[in-house]
Amino acid sequence: MIDIREIAAKCLKDESDALLGMIPMLGEDFERAINLLLECKGHVVVSGVGKSGHIGAKIAATLASTGTPAFYVNPLDALHGDLGMIMQDDVCLLISNSGSSDEILHILACLEERKVPVVSMTGNPESLLARHSDCHINVSVKREACPLGLAPTSSTTAALAMGDAIACVLMELRNFKANDFAKFHPAGTLGKKLVTRVKDVMYTENLPIIPPDMKLIDAIINISNGKLGLGVVMEGDELLGIITDGDIRRAVERSKRSNGDFLSLSVADSMTKNPKTIGPDAKLLQIQSMFHRNKIHSLLVVDKDYHLLGIVDYFAIMN
């Protein structure tokens, strides 16, 4: 009987081994290729045939969205006019596992004549494509993960991963940050977090305001009604602290250990003084970092005079 999970596991292991096997191949030629791509004044033009073409399109998209202007050209279209899209300031990244695809070699010849720099990515360092490129990136694998050893599996995974490695290196060298990423992804979640401010998402109505002399047993009801898992402790307009479900739980535990009377405890006895606050103009990405760093799920929004304006909740901004 065929063991479905065992076959899948073997495929994943074979492809993982193929990726790890490329690490020792990251030599000086890889560094030269990176520098050539980094210094490119135009676009990185990516091309490949068949499965390599699909990989190339993804690599071009990744480069373009991470600070390296790039686009993909179908090799057949390139040989029928689209080579005119490639300019003198561009660098071409040609992908072919064998390094001997006719279409890619024809493109290579045209690029050599026009003196356009070429970076090749192949599984055969001795191939014509590899030997006639300005820089060659070796993505050879020992075997395909395909049970027949025929279908491009490990080899395409290796090329795809190498494309990601190139993009990651270039991002670091360009000092490409999350703010830059968002400029190219304005419709995405990250883009939203970088343009949306706290004041756009904070709660301002029916805030769970609790006086410091309230008994904890009553505060529990107020916190539950507020549906934010906390109460803001205030005396008039003065912000004194915050009390959360966790504060109450810890107060109960302390009371039990000391044989005290939990019912007699007040909010002031158990609240957290100097709670974490944020201004209304902070971006969502900034407060997300504060949530993770301080292991909290809510922040009090205050003005420059420390007056309460609202509450921003982690779960609300994750939507």
Side-chain angles (χ1 to χ4, degrees):
M1 182 177 179
I2 295 176
D3 190 323
I4 294 173
R5 283 182 286 181
E6 183 179 343
I7 295 171
K10 183 179 183 305
C11 175
L12 294 175
K13 183 179 184 305
D14 287 345
E15 296 201 0
S16 298
D17 291 343
L19 296 185
L20 293 175
M22 289 196 298
I23 295 176
M25 298 190 293
L26 296 172
E28 292 181 2
D29 220 28
F30 177 79
E31 292 188 18
R32 284 195 292 269
I34 289 294
N35 288 324
L36 190 59
L37 296 171
L38 181 66
E39 293 165 7
C40 175
K41 303 301 182 184
H43 290 78
V44 175
V45 183
V46 187
S47 191
V49 178
K51 302 295 189 300
S52 294
H54 297 305
I55 298 301
K58 191 274 180 186
I59 291 174
T62 299
L63 290 173
S65 67
T66 53
T68 298
F71 61 87
Y72 173 77
V73 172
N74 183 291
L76 294 178
D77 293 335
L79 293 173
H80 291 276
D82 281 3
L83 273 176
M85 300 168 63
I86 304 174
M87 309 303 291
Q88 202 67 41
D89 289 337
D90 295 335
V91 173
C92 285
L93 174 60
L94 303 183
I95 306 172
S96 169
N97 187 46
S98 68
S100 59
S101 301
D102 286 341
E103 298 90 342
I104 292 296
L105 292 179
H106 286 149
I107 292 174
L108 176 65
C110 296
L111 296 174
E112 279 187 324
E113 185 176 345
R114 295 176 55 191
K115 294 182 169 41
V116 176
V118 172
V119 175
S120 62
M121 183 188 296
T122 83
N124 182 4
E126 301 303 320
S127 63
L128 278 174
L129 177 58
R131 288 190 281 111
H132 286 269
S133 302
D134 294 271
C135 301
H136 174 253
I137 298 175
N138 189 355
V139 289
S140 60
V141 298
K142 291 182 178 179
R143 60 179 177 276
E144 298 287 3
C146 163
L148 300 176
L150 299 175
T153 44
S154 296
S155 58
T156 48
T157 300
L160 182 63
M162 186 60 77
D164 289 339
I166 291 170
C168 288
V169 173
L170 291 173
M171 287 174 69
E172 290 285 349
L173 293 174
R174 296 184 193 281
N175 196 30
F176 191 85
K177 302 297 183 184
N179 282 324
D180 302 308
F181 188 84
K183 292 174 185 177
F184 303 121
H185 299 76
T189 301
L190 178 59
K192 176 184 176 182
K193 290 177 183 176
L194 284 163
V195 299
T196 305
R197 299 182 184 275
V198 168
K199 61 186 177 184
D200 299 321
V201 296
M202 68 183 183
Y203 296 101
T204 58
E205 298 181 359
N206 301 317
L207 299 178
I209 307 299
I210 298 176
D213 57 356
M214 177 178 283
K215 297 299 182 184
L216 279 188
I217 192 68
D218 297 319
I220 293 173
I221 298 174
N222 284 41
I223 291 173
S224 296
N225 291 339
K227 298 180 180 179
L228 293 174
L230 61 87
V232 183
V233 186
M234 298 187 65
E235 194 163 42
D237 291 333
E238 184 181 3
L239 176 59
L240 302 178
I242 189 173
I243 184 162
T244 66
D245 295 332
D247 291 325
I248 294 175
R249 185 177 64 253
R250 286 185 287 273
V252 173
E253 292 172 350
R254 287 194 300 270
S255 179
K256 287 180 65 177
R257 285 197 300 269
S258 61
N259 295 318
D261 181 11
F262 165 70
L263 297 177
S264 66
L265 294 176
S266 68
V267 167
D269 297 325
S270 309
M271 70 180 184
T272 298
K273 298 178 182 178
N274 303 315
K276 301 295 181 185
T277 60
I278 193 74
D281 292 318
K283 303 286 185 64
L284 291 196
L285 197 67
Q286 178 185 346
I287 64 173
Q288 184 177 335
S289 174
M290 289 183 66
F291 285 140
H292 288 299
R293 187 169 63 250
N294 296 291
K295 294 181 172 58
I296 55 179
H297 65 78
S298 295
L299 284 165
L300 303 185
V301 185
V302 299
D303 63 17
K304 58 183 178 61
D305 297 317
Y306 206 61
H307 293 142
L308 181 69
L309 300 177
I311 300 172
V312 60
D313 181 70
Y314 174 84
F315 301 104
I317 71 167
M318 288 299 101
N319 294 333

